[in-house]
């Protein structure tokens, strides 16, 4: 793996292992992202949340996607762009989450209990920027076959849109924010 991808993989895995080994709930309260109106919101959370994950499958899928799509991204963009977009995608995803839970009535009542963890928004920024840059780039997907990168990115956005009223609505809003950041970056 390219060094930038490897460094982000390591940072996420170290944070995950530390969280699981320490198993201190207060750490999640400090570093997960909460809506601004929540009593647990802290100014650093829009950055720190993207390095935390809820479980083994959560981090596994995010890190596999970061590995695969990070390599594609770095074929067309610089390392500086990669790290910058990872952080930007995560931050914009976090802002979409906070806007949803602070502005939309259906979420504001549960907003103080809602929180966000995971690198999905950051990873989707990388996927979307790659798809905008090389829309016809083909990847082989298990059980599906060859798929254009643009088709995968659009499908991910559509699924996230469909899931904004699900139990993981905050995650879906974050995904949309990350995808938006990736699209804006590539344009």
């Amino acid at each position: 793996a390219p060094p930038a991808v490897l460094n982000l993989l390591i940072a996420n895995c170290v944070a995950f292992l530390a969280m699981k080994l320490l198993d201190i709930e207060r750490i999640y309260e400090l570093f997960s992202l909460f809506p601004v109106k929540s009593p647990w919101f802290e100014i650093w959370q829009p950055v720190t949340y993207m390095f935390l994950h809820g479980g083994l499958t959560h981090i596994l899928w995010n890190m596999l996607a970061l590995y695969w799509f990070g390599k594609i991204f770095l074929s067309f963009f610089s390392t500086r762009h990669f790290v910058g977009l990872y952080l930007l995608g995560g931050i914009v995803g976090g802002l979409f989450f906070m806007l949803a839970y602070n502005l939309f009535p259906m979420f504001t009542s549960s907003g103080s209990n809602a929180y966000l963890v995971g690198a999905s928004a950051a990873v989707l920024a990388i996927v979307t920027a790659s798809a905008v840059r090389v829309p016809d780039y083909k990847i082989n997907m298990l059980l599906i076959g060859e798929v254009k990168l643009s088709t995968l990115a659009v499908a991910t956005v559509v699924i996230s849109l469909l899931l904004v009223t699900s139990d993981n609505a905050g995650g879906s809003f974050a995904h949309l924010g990350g995808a938006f950041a990736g699209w804006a970056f590539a344009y």
Side-chain angles (χ1 to χ4, degrees):
V5 174
L6 189 58
N7 289 339
L8 283 174
L9 290 170
I10 290 169
N12 276 279
C13 291
V14 166
F16 178 75
L17 289 173
M19 297 300 296
K20 293 304 174 189
L21 292 174
L22 294 174
D23 195 28
I24 300 171
E25 190 63 33
R26 180 72 179 132
I27 293 175
Y28 272 101
E29 289 174 4
L30 284 172
F31 298 110
S32 299
L33 180 61
F34 292 89
V36 175
K37 293 179 182 176
S38 168
W40 297 291
F41 176 77
E42 300 290 349
I43 194 70
W44 56 79
Q45 292 171 349
V47 174
T48 58
Y49 89 92
M50 69 182 92
F51 293 95
L52 303 180
H53 289 82
L56 188 58
T57 56
H58 189 207
I59 192 169
L60 179 66
W61 286 114
N62 276 338
M63 295 305 99
L64 284 172
L66 180 61
Y67 174 77
W68 291 325
F69 295 106
K71 287 173 39 176
I72 294 169
F73 182 93
L74 286 168
S75 298
F76 302 99
F77 297 101
S78 73
T79 298
R80 187 173 56 97
H81 288 135
F82 174 74
V83 174
L85 183 58
Y86 178 90
L87 293 171
L88 178 68
I91 290 168
V92 172
L95 290 175
F96 271 51
F97 162 79
M98 290 191 300
L99 283 172
Y101 278 87
N102 285 301
L103 297 178
F104 299 138
M106 83 182 278
F107 301 118
T108 53
S109 63
S110 66
S112 64
N113 296 325
Y115 68 94
L116 185 65
V117 294
S120 302
V123 172
L124 279 174
I126 301 296
V127 172
T128 305
S130 300
V132 169
R133 177 75 163 82
V134 284
D136 294 329
Y137 189 98
K138 293 182 179 166
I139 58 171
N140 284 312
M141 296 187 67
L142 188 65
L143 304 175
I144 296 174
E146 233 177 45
V147 176
K148 287 183 182 180
L149 195 50
S150 58
T151 303
L152 178 67
V154 167
T156 303
V157 168
V158 168
I159 290 168
S160 293
L161 280 169
L162 293 173
L163 294 176
V164 294
T165 58
S166 70
D167 289 340
N168 187 24
S172 295
F173 279 109
H175 295 169
L176 294 170
F180 174 76
W183 174 82
F185 166 83
Y187 274 107

